[in-house]
Amino acid sequence: MKATDLLVQCLENEGVEYVFGIMGKETLDLIDSLSKSKQIQFVNVRHEQGAAFMADVYGRLTKKVGVCLATLGPGATNLLTGIASANLDHSPVVAITGQAGLERQHQESHQYLDIVKIFEPATKWSVQIKDSQTIAKIIRKAFRVAQMEKPGVVLIELPENLASQMIPTKPLAVTPIPKSIPISQAIEDARTLIGHSQRPLIIVGNGVIRQEAEAELCTFVENLKSPVIHSFMAKGILPKNDPLNYFTFGFKKNDEVLPMIGQSDLLIVVGFDFVESAPKDWNKKMLPVLHIDPLPAEIDEHYPVKGELVGDLKEILQALNKLDMHSKPWAPMGNLKEQIRTAYQIDQGNLDLKGNQLRTIENILTVVEKNSTEKTTIISDVGVHKMSIARTYQPVKAGRLIISNGLASMGIAIPGSIGAKLACPDEPVICITGDGGALMNISELETAQRLGLSFIVIVLNNGSLKLEEQMMVEKFGHSYGASFGNPDFVQLAESFGVKGVRPTQLDEFEQVLKDALSRDGEITLIDVQM
């Protein structure tokens, strides 16, 4: 069979449902092979960056590998931002790019760049297919590497001259990734370490969600009865009203949780990635750490490991939960829980929907949270609103708040909503973006319309890069270069065939949101003048 036919069979063998991308001359054979697949839908997007963001969010929500495609040269480099974002947030993604034929890679050549070398720092593995006979092995390895802890991105480059070669091979069998668990002595040492502490604090990271260990973590917390804080991406593991939930940490400024970290005597860190927040920002006292993670701890003077449990988080927590371990209930000094609630504007029960309060992000988030369920997925773009979402919004279910955190890349929200809706077609998706992030990939509204998807886009419209403006004012006393002009977002939405609305009051915003959530098969863009 043709090499690209085999490649598509290998993708089918891996359970791929969607390939997001843009075709080019060097990938025409692959597109032709995809056209024959009864399992895989090729989603032709408007920009390769959007394709990478779609694959990222699809992979996060399904726990399967998201796949994106681009041609050589500018098509491949357009993928790079989304690929780097997925890799730093540990989303399983395989990116496939075309490439010039092997016969012209030794010299300066039209659109030829060494894509493998360019992508190496932004991926777990970056490889060129040099022999079409190796396609089955490379695809199988790529998907395995992308899903192994910590998940990330693999780039596969297919030179044009190999794409149409005839080869006799077939896909390789998909085998499960083995689980590991620490030796019993390490488990016992961890129990001793916890037993000697008086005020242990549990720090929960994104790895708990990746490994679907939320229930085991909640049992561990219930047994230990010690307070818990979440990274941005781990929000929702403990219910909002759980008395042990002290919400979110990881803010460089105004991190209300830091006093509690300073009062603890042992940090039990579960599934936390350093990319979420550097230890120097929250463990200033260099408190001892019990590291529980699929991989060994990174070396850092602000992360002094006194105990280490490395392996499958679900298995490790199950083993800990079987131990006869004394509970360690304690609370930080003062009324810290209420201080955090007030500072983060969590659960504003007395919010006056009749007042002219539309202009604050926190009020918008309170209304969004009020109308969300455990099935609602929120996609946050990057900007000043991301910090507010990390503080204020409390998801009902873990894993349903999607943030570009490691790379913190603007432009993820609208294409990410497409990935989310394809991953969870019967569940509501709300994307919250600033005007800066929205315009980076708003062309993907056409893609969403073409696919017949329905979700809500909330554009927080302030005519500036507000976060950078605030930082400049704080550092220099004035801002420069942070403001810009905007189109009429309502008219722009309608030009895509999308319903555009511009509410002027908070109660009107809530009604628009409710109406949009009640309508299936329609995209609604809500332009919020901040």
Side-chain angles (χ1 to χ4, degrees):
M1 71 177 69
K2 189 168 71 168
T4 53
D5 289 340
L6 172 63
L7 196 154
V8 170
Q9 282 192 16
C10 290
L11 296 180
E12 291 173 335
N13 188 52
E14 299 290 343
V16 174
E17 299 174 300
Y18 300 99
V19 173
F20 306 98
I22 296 180
M23 68 179 72
K25 171 180 172 290
E26 289 72 18
T27 59
L28 291 180
D29 278 290
L30 180 52
I31 296 297
D32 179 61
S33 296
L34 281 169
S35 72
K36 303 168 190 172
S37 175
K38 292 182 170 57
Q39 175 183 315
I40 301 173
Q41 179 180 354
F42 174 63
V43 178
N44 52 320
V45 304
R46 305 313 301 257
H47 194 285
E48 292 89 350
Q49 184 185 101
F53 284 141
M54 292 174 203
D56 172 355
V57 176
Y58 177 86
R60 290 197 218 189
L61 289 171
T62 62
K63 303 292 193 296
K64 298 193 295 185
V65 176
V67 181
C68 54
L69 170 70
T71 190
L72 82 174
T77 56
N78 280 347
L79 281 177
L80 190 56
T81 295
I83 289 305
S85 180
N87 201 55
L88 286 179
D89 283 338
H90 302 301
S91 299
V93 171
V94 166
I96 302 171
T97 69
Q99 183 54 284
L102 294 171
E103 75 282 356
R104 64 183 179 97
Q105 291 182 22
H106 66 285
Q107 62 187 29
E108 184 178 56
S109 187
H110 179 65
Q111 288 193 313
Y112 174 69
L113 292 170
D114 190 337
I115 296 300
V116 169
K117 187 174 291 185
I118 290 171
F119 274 70
E120 278 176 354
T123 58
K124 290 183 73 177
W125 184 41
S126 190
V127 62
Q128 181 186 75
I129 297 172
K130 293 182 170 64
D131 181 347
S132 57
Q133 300 283 349
T134 64
I135 286 175
K137 289 187 287 187
I138 286 176
I139 295 293
R140 178 78 278 270
K141 179 178 176 180
F143 277 73
R144 189 175 178 88
V145 170
Q147 290 179 298
M148 288 172 60
E149 282 289 339
K150 294 179 180 181
V153 182
V154 172
L155 172 87
I156 301 172
E157 182 186 75
L158 178 63
E160 184 181 15
N161 67 305
L162 301 184
S164 59
Q165 288 184 352
M166 303 303 292
I167 51 176
T169 55
K170 62 182 181 179
L172 301 181
V174 175
T175 55
I177 297 171
K179 296 180 180 180
S180 62
I181 187 170
I183 60 173
S184 56
Q185 185 59 53
I187 298 285
E188 186 59 38
D189 290 345
R191 173 165 69 169
T192 301
L193 184 61
I194 296 171
H196 288 161
S197 69
Q198 299 300 314
R199 298 178 305 282
L201 173 64
I202 302 168
I203 296 177
V204 183
N206 186 35
V208 174
I209 297 174
R210 286 201 308 268
Q211 298 222 317
E212 299 180 293
E214 299 98 319
E216 289 76 11
L217 190 280
C218 288
T219 300
F220 178 71
V221 171
E222 183 181 338
N223 292 342
L224 198 60
K225 294 183 168 42
S226 296
V228 178
I229 55 176
H230 303 74
S231 71
F232 295 179
M233 296 172 68
K235 292 176 67 168
I237 292 179
L238 243 61
K240 178 175 71 173
N241 295 321
D242 190 307
L244 296 173
N245 184 358
Y246 281 76
F247 308 111
T248 321
F249 80 106
F251 309 98
K252 285 187 169 61
K253 295 180 180 178
N254 303 322
D255 199 333
E256 304 290 334
V257 180
L258 291 182
M260 182 169 66
I261 297 178
Q263 293 169 36
S264 64
D265 60 5
L266 176 67
L267 304 180
I268 304 174
V269 184
V270 188
F272 181 79
D273 307 320
F274 275 22
V275 74
E276 297 186 76
S277 181
K280 69 179 178 60
D281 294 328
W282 45 268
N283 192 11
K284 299 181 187 299
K285 292 187 176 181
M286 302 186 187
L287 299 167
V289 170
L290 172 58
H291 175 82
I292 304 176
D293 195 77
L295 294 182
E298 291 194 49
I299 304 301
D300 190 298
E301 66 269 28
H302 287 88
Y303 197 77
V305 174
K306 300 301 180 185
E308 201 161 6
L309 299 177
V310 176
D312 182 82
L313 292 183
K314 189 186 285 279
E315 299 285 340
I316 291 172
L317 290 167
Q318 286 175 353
L320 289 173
N321 292 337
K322 291 175 183 177
L323 298 177
D324 181 18
M325 199 156 30
H326 294 296
S327 62
K328 298 285 181 175
W330 69 282
M333 293 184 292
N335 195 9
L336 186 62
K337 184 74 169 280
E338 287 310 308
Q339 290 176 27
I340 295 171
R341 277 184 174 275
T342 301
Y344 292 1
Q345 299 186 45
I346 294 171
D347 205 14
Q348 301 179 81
N350 60 349
L351 183 62
D352 180 14
L353 291 180
K354 299 295 184 184
N356 185 21
Q357 302 184 56
L358 185 57
R359 297 181 185 277
T360 72
I361 298 171
E362 288 74 19
N363 287 345
I364 294 294
L365 294 174
T366 298
V367 173
V368 171
E369 184 180 325
K370 177 183 173 184
N371 290 279
S372 297
T373 69
E374 67 174 11
K375 293 183 177 181
T376 304
T377 297
I378 302 292
I379 315 281
S380 171
D381 218 303
V382 173
V384 70
H385 60 279
K386 172 189 162 184
M387 295 295 100
S388 296
I389 290 171
R391 285 187 170 92
T392 303
Y393 182 79
Q394 302 299 313
V396 181
K397 185 178 179 182
R400 292 308 181 112
L401 174 59
I402 305 295
I403 296 176
S404 174
N405 195 42
L407 192 66
S409 175
M410 291 175 65
I412 189 174
I414 292 176
S417 297
I418 294 174
K421 197 64 183 180
L422 292 175
C424 309
D426 300 321
E427 299 174 4
V429 173
I430 301 172
C431 105
I432 304 174
T433 178
D435 43 6
L439 284 175
M440 287 185 173
N441 282 308
I442 202 165
S443 59
E444 300 302 348
L445 286 180
E446 189 280 323
T447 307
Q449 279 288 82
R450 183 172 7 106
L451 293 171
L453 303 181
S454 61
F455 53 85
I456 297 167
V457 180
I458 299 172
V459 179
L460 303 172
N461 187 348
N462 57 23
S464 70
L465 299 173
K466 198 66 180 179
L467 184 60
E468 285 71 21
E469 183 180 90
Q470 289 175 355
M471 290 189 292
M472 285 194 76
V473 168
E474 183 175 333
K475 188 171 184 178
F476 305 113
H478 64 89
S479 69
Y480 176 78
S483 60
F484 41 69
N486 277 325
D488 184 318
F489 278 100
V490 170
Q491 290 187 24
L492 182 58
E494 290 172 351
S495 74
F496 285 108
V498 168
K499 182 180 179 63
V501 190
R502 186 178 295 117
T504 58
Q505 300 289 334
L506 201 56
D507 57 347
E508 186 184 354
F509 169 77
E510 181 170 43
Q511 190 57 55
V512 167
L513 183 65
K514 286 180 176 179
D515 291 345
L517 287 168
S518 68
R519 287 192 296 269
D520 193 26
E522 182 175 280
I523 302 170
T524 300
L525 184 147
I526 307 174
D527 179 14
V528 180
Q529 302 284 319
M530 301 302 294

